Amino acid sequence: MERLPSLISDNSLNLGLSLLFLVLIFTLRYLVLRTVVTRLHDAEAAFRARKLSFYISVAVAMLVLASIWTQHLGGTGSFIGLLSAGIAIALSDVLKNMAGWVLILFRRPFKVGDRIEVGPNAGDVIDIGVFRFTLMEIGNWVDADQTTGRVLHIPNGIVFVEPLANYNEGFPYIWLEVPVTVTFESDWEAAREIVQGAIERHAADPGQVVEVADHERAANQYFSLYRDLAPAVYVKAIDCGATVTGRVLVPARGRRIIESRIWQDLLRAINETPGVDLAYPTTRFFRADLEGSGSGT
C-alpha cells in the first residue's frame, strides 16, 4: 500500500511522456510528408512514401515507448509482459485465423474439393492456407449452385463464429424438390403419376445410394438417420391449385442439370396429357345479381 502512490505517479508520468513523444513523432512525420509528397508527381511514389514513413514512425514510437516504460517499471520482464499483451490484442484476428487453420487441419470440417456454405458465402474449396481458405463461388446472382466465376478469400477465423454446411461430407447426395402446381380443375392424380415418373427416371442409382449410406453408417462418423432414400411425391392444396412436389436424391454438384432434365420431361408429359393444366396466380370477381337473387358469376 505504501508503494501505491509512487506507482500511480510513475504510471502517470509514463503515460504523459508516451503521449508527448507520440504527438511529436507523428507531427514530424506529417511535416516531412507535406514537404516530400508535394515534390513527387508520381502517385505511386507518393503512396510508397506515406507507407514507408508510417512504418518508420511506428518503429521509432515503439523504441521510445520501450525506453520510457522499461526505465520506470524497473525491469524488462514487465515490458515484455506489456508488449506481449499489446501484440495479442493487435494481432487478435491473425491469431484467430491461425487457430482456425489448426481446427480445419485436425477436425477437418472440410477439405480441398468440398463444396461448402459458410455464413453468406458458398463455393468449392480450392485452397486452404494458414490465414484464409479460398472458394470458387457458387450461387449469389447465379441460380442453382453454379459457379459465378469469382474467387472468394475467407479468413479461417470464420469457422468459429459462422455456421458451416458441407455438401459432400459423409453423404455426397442432397435432396432436390421439384414443385408442380396444377389447377383445381386438373386431374391431380394424373399429375402425380407424371411427377413420379419424371423423378424416378432421373434419380440417382438406388443401389449406389444405399451402398454409400451403408458405408456412412458403418464408418460411424456421424449418427445417421437415413431411412427411406427412394424418390417420393407429395400433394398439397394451395390458393391457386394443387401442388405436386417430387423429392429425389441427386449428386451434390448435379442439382441444376438434373432439375432441368426433370422439368423437360414434365413439360412434355403435361402438354401431352389432357385434363392436366399448370396453374398460375389468378383473381376471380363475383357480382351479386341486381334483382337480389344472390347468384354470382
Side-chain angles (χ1 to χ4, degrees):
M1 292 296 294
E2 297 178 356
R3 297 187 55 189
L4 184 58
S6 174
L7 183 60
I8 295 176
S9 176
D10 288 343
N11 287 337
S12 301
L13 178 61
N14 293 345
L15 184 60
L17 290 174
S18 300
L19 292 176
L20 176 62
F21 277 104
L22 287 175
V23 170
L24 289 176
I25 290 169
F26 285 97
T27 301
L28 181 61
R29 172 179 177 265
Y30 170 77
L31 295 175
V32 171
L33 279 179
R34 188 174 180 181
T35 304
V36 173
V37 172
T38 53
R39 299 182 181 180
L40 295 175
H41 302 289
D42 186 0
E44 184 178 354
F47 173 78
R48 290 180 179 176
R50 291 190 184 94
K51 297 295 289 184
L52 181 61
S53 66
F54 175 77
Y55 293 143
I56 293 175
S57 300
V58 170
V60 172
M62 290 182 65
L63 291 174
V64 171
L65 293 177
S67 174
I68 293 173
W69 287 91
T70 51
Q71 179 180 357
H72 288 84
L73 288 176
T76 338
S78 300
F79 171 71
I80 292 176
L82 289 174
L83 182 62
S84 301
I87 291 175
I89 294 172
L91 301 180
S92 59
D93 289 338
V94 174
L95 297 175
K96 183 168 68 173
N97 291 335
M98 294 180 68
W101 175 63
V102 173
L103 174 69
I104 293 169
L105 285 184
F106 290 96
R107 293 292 299 170
R108 297 181 68 81
F110 59 84
K111 61 184 182 299
V112 173
D114 283 355
R115 174 165 290 185
I116 67 171
E117 180 179 350
V118 54
N121 304 303
D124 297 317
V125 182
I126 58 177
D127 185 47
I128 299 174
V130 178
F131 301 107
R132 64 187 182 184
F133 59 92
T134 306
L135 301 181
M136 180 65 70
E137 185 186 37
I138 62 171
N140 206 325
W141 68 87
V142 177
D143 192 23
D145 296 345
Q146 287 197 313
T147 180
T148 65
R150 299 194 309 182
V151 173
L152 301 178
H153 301 283
I154 302 178
N156 291 335
I158 198 173
V159 298
F160 293 115
V161 295
E162 293 285 354
L164 190 149
N166 192 321
Y167 288 59
N168 307 98
E169 188 174 13
F171 193 64
Y173 296 93
I174 58 175
W175 286 102
L176 167 67
E177 291 197 350
V178 181
V180 180
T181 303
V182 298
T183 61
F184 284 117
E185 295 77 16
S186 296
D187 183 352
W188 64 267
E189 291 182 324
R192 186 184 185 284
E193 294 300 322
I194 291 172
V195 174
Q196 183 79 39
I199 63 173
E200 286 181 351
R201 281 192 294 275
H202 298 284
D205 179 64
Q208 183 179 2
V209 173
V210 171
E211 181 180 349
V212 172
D214 289 340
H215 179 269
E216 191 272 340
R217 289 192 193 100
N220 200 27
Q221 184 177 6
Y222 297 104
F223 178 67
S224 175
L225 294 176
Y226 296 121
R227 294 289 186 270
D228 188 1
L229 303 177
V233 178
Y234 304 93
V235 180
K236 180 178 70 172
I238 61 172
D239 54 357
C240 62
T243 297
V244 183
T245 302
R247 178 176 168 87
V248 61
L249 276 174
V250 297
R253 287 184 170 83
R255 186 167 74 92
R256 188 172 199 179
I257 185 64
I258 294 176
E259 184 178 20
S260 174
R261 291 171 181 170
I262 291 174
W263 268 109
Q264 291 175 43
D265 286 359
L266 287 173
L267 293 174
R268 291 192 196 100
I270 291 171
N271 189 48
E272 295 169 358
T273 305
V276 177
D277 298 303
L278 292 174
Y280 50 87
T282 57
T283 303
R284 297 186 181 186
F285 297 94
F286 294 87
R287 184 182 63 184
D289 190 275
L290 296 177
E291 297 180 357
S293 63
S295 60
T297 58

